[in-house]
């Protein structure tokens, strides 16, 4: 009401007292009372029963007790309710900023990129709705590195040889598909499935191991069938014990490569899901993982035969490449931290003569038996030091130093020349040399060639020579047999050179290492002898290992006729045939400056430092 003497305020409705109702009828009074009480009930309900209303009240109507609490000395943010409010506000602010940034990003994108984002988002939502959501993965922009597929070689002879190797893959894959689909491996003579206990009850090792070979050979119908199997059947939820190393190099590695080659999200999802299942293996006092792990219980242990419960160098040392990619693809830093911690443990230890013993106790963090080998039990540890550096686009200086230091120690203590001049890498047992070289050790020719370019102190030429000499020795181990296939191990003692002398070392199980070295040597030198040697191996495989139902290993390479072991190893498709195919392909097919092969020959992209160097190739 305006003060006395002032006119009524403009627009204000003045109701003359004479027009006010002096009394209501009983029904009107009742209705008014009802409306009023309903209003009061609503207000009370809102105040006391709506979530967080009391906090709202205290903040809005009264002097906020939360604020008071916070001003008390020493009690800053100790009130959980207030801390929670702040967290909620901070989250809202962050989400808001994120949404703004995303919107800004989207505006800068090309229409086809926006379309791809929408498709990915749709696929994600569809998966969540069908319960396949699994791990909640962050969005990762997919770029296919160059050379995922190649073109036909110009030279007709090379072209024909390459086509022949593809035909071999068709025979190996077709036989597996026909007789052993879904099993881990094929028994090509008895034409049935074969399951190795290395994979517990995980199935389909051959499918996952072969995915990238199918892709690079452009066998897309087969690749799609394999993808379909992976989507529907590849399962890791089982109460079974697996080899952490084997599952990592074949399954995680195979899935990662399939993802990087094809861009199919299912492979990223499965790789991360499996990687997460392997993480409990690292629950040891030192963080050096167990060799064996029950995927359900997460309980690990070591091989009972391994020096006083030790973990094995080639096993815990061959997780690095895959785990670095798992962190990148999942946004989970745990993978990277676990493998970097392995490095820390190793770097704290004294190394006898600079060498890495094969056994390390995960509880005490001390070496077990002083047995050193560049073959079985040690091999791929050295390979992964070098490749970690290369895969990091040469940023991982620690990996580089560890590799070249280790190689120097190997050269000094293990590398020897036979009487007739064959270079070999022996094994070292507590200071004594065993003059034996495993088929597995033959990968070292390729590794040394791959690292030669970065060798410190002008050693590039020297290391290329070493690599070539090892390739020659390994070729000799094939050439000196009746079947022209290499034995599991060959010796340089008792008057023999590059020959197996023990019956249990005379078998050949379709291993890739010698051909792997030929492939690297060919890429770096283009010396035709490496293709010739590779072709000799193709002919021997066709003659002695090919059977109607696939390819089989043989029990004795010195026997005049093959005695088949009836196993087509999954690495025959993953590695042996892939390296042969690449040996007869041009160098821009999976080029080394963009791809690094894991120890099962699964190509993983180099993590380029310069992000503008990431090609977005459409093939
Ligand atoms: C493969 O599984 C891998 O190459 C591993 O590093 C060692 N052995 C086999 C093939 O021989």
């Amino acid at each position: 009401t305006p003060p006395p003497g002032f006119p009524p305020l403009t627009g204000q409705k003045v109701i003359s007292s004479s027009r006010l109702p002096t009394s209501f009828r009983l029904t009107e009074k009742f209705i008014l009372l009802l409306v009023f009480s309903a209003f009061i009930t609503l207000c009370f309900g809102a105040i006391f029963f709506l979530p967080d209303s009391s906090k709202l009240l205290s903040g809005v109507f009264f002097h906020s007790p939360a604020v008071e609490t916070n001003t008390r000395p020493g009690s800053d943010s100790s009130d959980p309710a207030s801390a929670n409010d702040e967290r909620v506000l901070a989250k809202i602010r962050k989400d808001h900023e994120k949404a703004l940034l995303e919107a800004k990003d989207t505006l800068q994108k090309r229409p086809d990129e926006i379309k791809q984002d929408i498709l990915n988002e749709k696929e994600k939502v569809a998966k969540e709705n069908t319960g396949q959501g699994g791990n909640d993965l962050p969005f990762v922009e997919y770029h296919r590195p160059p050379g995922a597929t190649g073109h036909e070689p110009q030279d007709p002879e090379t072209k024909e040889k390459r086509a022949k190797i593809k035909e071999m893959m068709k025979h190996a894959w077709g036989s597996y598909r026909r007789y052993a689909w879904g099993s881990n491996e094929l028994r090509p003579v008895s034409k049935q499935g074969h399951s190795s206990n290395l994979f517990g009850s995980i199935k389909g090792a051959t499918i996952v191991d072969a995915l990238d070979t199918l892709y690079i050979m452009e066998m897309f119908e087969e690749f799609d069938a394999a993808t379909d199997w992976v989507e529907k059947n590849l399962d890791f939820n089982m109460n079974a014990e697996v080899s952490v190393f084997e599952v990592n190099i074949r399954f995680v590695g195979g899935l990662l490569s399939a993802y990087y080659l094809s861009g199919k999200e299912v492979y990223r999802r499965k790789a991360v899901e499996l990687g997460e299942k392997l993480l409990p293996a690292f629950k040891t006092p030192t963080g050096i993982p167990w060799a064996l792990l029950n995927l359900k219980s997460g309980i690990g242990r070591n091989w009972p035969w391994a020096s006083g419960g030790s973990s094995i160098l080639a096993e815990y040392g061959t997780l690095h490449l895959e785990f670095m990619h798992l962190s990148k693809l999942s946004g989970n830093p745990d993978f990277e931290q676990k493998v970097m911690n392995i490095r820390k443990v190793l770097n704290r230890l004294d190394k006898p003569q600079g060498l890495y013993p094969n056994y390390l106790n995960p509880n005490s963090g001390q070496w077990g038996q002083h047995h050193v080998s560049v073959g079985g039990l040690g091999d791929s540890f050295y390979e992964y030091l070098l490749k970690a550096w290369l895969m990091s686009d040469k940023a991982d200086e620690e990996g580089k130093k560890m590799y070249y230091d280790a190689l120097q120690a190997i050269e000094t203590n293990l590398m020897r020349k036979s009487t007739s001049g064959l270079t070999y890498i022996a094994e070292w047992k507590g200071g004594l040399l065993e003059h034996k070289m495993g088929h597995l050790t033959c990968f070292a020719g390729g590794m040394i060639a791959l690292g030669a370019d970065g060798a410190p102190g002008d050693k590039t030429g020297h290391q290329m020579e070493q690599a070539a000499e090892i390739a020659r020795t390994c070729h000799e181990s094939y050439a000196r047999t009746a079947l022209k296939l290499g034995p599991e191990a060959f010796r340089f003692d008792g008057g023999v050179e590059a020959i197996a002398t023990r019956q249990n070392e005379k078998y050949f199980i379709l291993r890739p290492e010698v051909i792997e070295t030929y492939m690297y040597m060919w890429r770096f030198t283009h010396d035709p002898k490496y293709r010739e040697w590779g072709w000799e191996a193709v002919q021997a495989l066709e003659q002695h290992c090919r059977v109607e139902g696939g390819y089989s290993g043989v029990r004795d390479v010195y026997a005049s006729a093959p005695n088949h072991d009836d196993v087509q190893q999954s690495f025959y498709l993953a590695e042996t045939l892939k390296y042969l195919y690449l040996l007869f392909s041009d160098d821009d097919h999976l080029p080394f400056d963009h791809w690094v092969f894991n120890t099962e020959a699964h190509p993983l992209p180099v993590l380029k430092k310069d992000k503008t160097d990431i090609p977005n190739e459409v093939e």
Side-chain angles (χ1 to χ4, degrees), residues 418-437:
S418 72
T419 328
S420 75
L422 292 178
T423 298
Y424 61 96
I425 306 179
E427 310 218 340
W428 193 83
K429 291 185 172 161
L432 293 178
L433 279 189
E434 190 181 6
H435 297 271
K436 148 185 147 177
M437 182 164 174

Side-chain angles (χ1 to χ4, degrees), residues 245 249-250 380 440 511-513 571 575 599-600:
F245 160 77
I249 64 167
R250 301 194 203 204
S380 40
L440 289 166
R511 284 200 193 278
E513 292 77 16
F571 53 66
E575 299 191 72
T599 195
E600 188 78 1

Side-chain angles (χ1 to χ4, degrees), residues 22 181 212-213 266 274 299 318 378 403 430 443 469 480 553 565 605:
T22 46
W181 188 240
D212 49 13
T213 308
V266 59
L274 180 53
I299 294 174
T318 310
Y403 169 72
F443 91 98
E469 283 173 22
R480 296 176 186 197
D565 67 7

Side-chain angles (χ1 to χ4, degrees), residues 216-514:
I216 68 158
M217 292 188 183
E218 297 178 57
M219 294 170 62
F220 294 125
E221 186 276 319
E222 291 87 342
F223 181 82
D224 290 345
T227 304
D228 188 57
W229 186 91
V230 168
E231 268 168 345
K232 294 185 182 139
N233 303 291
L234 186 61
D235 182 23
F236 313 120
N237 296 310
M238 55 231 351
N239 187 2
E241 201 174 51
V242 300
S243 153
V244 174
F245 160 77
E246 293 290 354
V247 165
N248 176 59
I249 64 167
R250 301 194 203 204
F251 283 88
V252 178
L255 292 165
L256 287 173
S257 286
Y259 168 69
Y260 284 115
L261 290 168
S262 72
K264 288 190 187 298
E265 271 293 305
V266 59
Y267 291 122
R268 177 166 77 118
R269 208 160 26 84
K270 293 275 180 191
V272 175
E273 185 191 336
L274 180 53
E276 279 167 357
K277 291 244 161 217
L278 297 181
L279 285 175
F282 292 80
K283 279 193 208 144
T284 63
T286 53
I288 295 292
W290 300 112
L292 298 164
L293 178 75
N294 182 304
L295 289 185
K296 183 154 189 223
S297 66
I299 294 174
R301 66 182 176 111
N302 275 338
W303 298 105
W305 48 261
S307 176
S310 289
S311 300
I312 290 168
L313 183 68
E315 297 200 327
Y316 66 78
T318 310
L319 304 166
H320 197 100
L321 304 184
E322 297 80 3
F323 275 46
M324 294 302 276
H325 272 285
L326 286 176
S327 269
K328 182 181 170 317
L329 293 182
S330 66
N332 178 356
D334 280 5
F335 298 107
E336 180 174 346
Q337 278 162 12
K338 302 281 182 227
V339 289
M340 290 313 283
N341 174 61
I342 295 177
R343 290 249 189 106
K344 265 193 213 138
V345 175
L346 289 176
N347 281 329
R348 277 200 296 262
L349 282 165
D350 279 341
K351 284 157 266 304
Q353 319 277 357
L355 295 166
Y356 289 84
N358 290 335
Y359 300 107
L360 176 61
N361 190 306
N363 293 314
S364 64
Q366 296 304 313
W367 300 120
Q369 250 173 51
H370 282 195
H371 174 207
V372 179
S373 154
V374 183
L377 308 182
D379 48 8
S380 40
F381 161 70
Y382 305 98
E383 176 186 356
Y384 271 35
L385 292 177
L386 171 65
K387 290 183 176 174
W389 175 55
L390 296 175
M391 198 180 82
S392 71
D393 204 9
K394 303 193 175 170
D396 181 359
E397 289 292 330
E398 183 183 53
K400 177 185 183 187
K401 180 170 178 358
M402 288 171 81
Y403 169 72
Y404 289 110
D405 286 354
L407 188 60
Q408 184 54 57
I410 289 165
E411 181 181 343
T412 311
N413 297 288
L414 271 59
M415 234 182 248
R416 294 290 179 266
K417 231 180 201 125
S418 72
T419 328
S420 75
L422 292 178
T423 298
Y424 61 96
I425 306 179
E427 310 218 340
W428 193 83
K429 291 185 172 161
L432 293 178
L433 279 189
E434 190 181 6
H435 297 271
K436 148 185 147 177
M437 182 164 174
H439 190 289
L440 289 166
T441 321
C442 286
F443 91 98
M447 174 183 76
I448 295 171
L450 180 65
D453 189 37
D458 266 359
K459 285 204 167 158
T460 302
H462 171 66
Q463 291 194 1
M464 276 312 292
E465 269 163 38
Q466 274 179 342
E469 283 173 22
I470 290 166
R472 183 160 75 97
T473 301
C474 292
H475 174 253
E476 282 305 310
S477 78
Y478 275 50
R480 296 176 186 197
T481 69
L483 303 185
K484 305 296 169 215
L485 294 165
E488 181 65 5
F490 42 93
R491 298 193 174 250
F492 296 86
D493 55 13
V496 300
E497 291 193 1
I499 287 180
T501 50
R502 303 187 185 180
Q503 198 51 41
N504 64 0
E505 292 172 349
K506 294 182 177 172
Y507 62 87
F508 169 72
I509 56 167
L510 306 170
R511 284 200 193 278
E513 292 77 16
V514 176

